Amino acid sequence: MDFGASTRATAVGAYHVTARSDAAATKGSIPVELPAAQTVQSATAGEAVQLDLQARSEQARRDDAMAKQNATTDRQAARQREQDLRDLIERRIVIEPRTREVVIQKKNRVTGETVSQLPDETLLRLRIYSRELAEKARLADETSAQHYVERTA
């Protein structure tokens, strides 16, 4: 809010920026406070980019056709490798009798070696061990409950 004749305080000993005579201001420039040795100037735009689009040579067309043919051959080879792998690997779903877990096995048909198994054999053994411990604890509780004698006075 302005009340008309109020006095305004001015800073004493303020830093005054003097205009540099060696730098010419151009349109859109921003004033900076740098010493004369460090002048900032905009870069020139340079020449316009020119593209020379000409018809492609016959050799380039042949190279492109060869690349497409190689890509097709590579895809066919990859499909053949996948089919060979499917023929080599036997997939089975088995239920482990001790844990009653569903197990997915992939075995090599030639060697009979298990390639992969879910859940892992280590995890199945751990589950069998924990099931046996739980069964022993249950049996121990049942036998101790049979020998318990209640006495009242």
Side-chain angles (χ1 to χ4, degrees):
M1 190 181 282
D2 191 16
F3 293 106
S6 62
T7 59
R8 296 182 185 228
T10 58
V12 178
Y15 179 71
H16 293 288
V17 178
T18 57
R20 292 177 44 183
S21 61
D22 60 337
T26 58
K27 183 178 181 181
S29 64
I30 300 171
V32 294
E33 299 173 9
L34 293 174
Q38 296 178 337
T39 304
V40 177
Q41 295 179 353
S42 63
T44 59
E47 295 182 19
V49 177
Q50 295 179 0
L51 295 176
D52 188 17
L53 301 175
Q54 296 177 353
R56 293 174 43 151
S57 68
E58 186 62 33
Q59 182 62 37
R61 287 190 184 117
R62 276 190 243 127
D63 291 344
D64 286 348
M66 183 66 80
K68 287 179 184 178
Q69 183 179 6
N70 288 341
T72 303
T73 306
D74 290 344
R75 282 194 298 272
Q76 289 172 348
R79 282 191 211 120
Q80 185 61 41
R81 283 192 302 270
E82 289 175 9
Q83 184 62 38
D84 292 344
L85 188 61
R86 277 190 225 113
D87 293 342
L88 184 66
I89 301 296
E90 175 188 359
R91 291 165 181 80
R92 296 188 318 163
I93 297 177
V94 180
I95 296 178
E96 169 64 41
R98 293 187 284 180
T99 60
R100 296 186 291 272
E101 292 274 335
V102 176
V103 179
I104 300 171
Q105 293 179 336
K106 294 180 182 177
K107 289 190 172 191
N108 186 328
R109 290 179 192 226
V110 176
T111 63
E113 178 184 0
T114 300
V115 177
S116 69
Q117 177 175 319
L118 286 174
D120 192 57
E121 187 176 346
T122 307
L123 183 60
L124 285 175
R125 287 183 182 179
L126 181 64
R127 288 178 181 168
I128 291 169
Y129 179 70
S130 64
R131 189 175 288 253
E132 288 175 357
L133 285 179
E135 184 66 25
K136 286 181 182 178
R138 186 184 61 77
L139 289 175
D141 286 345
E142 287 178 2
T143 57
S144 66
Q146 292 175 357
H147 297 297
Y148 179 73
V149 177
E150 186 176 337
R151 297 183 186 183
T152 55

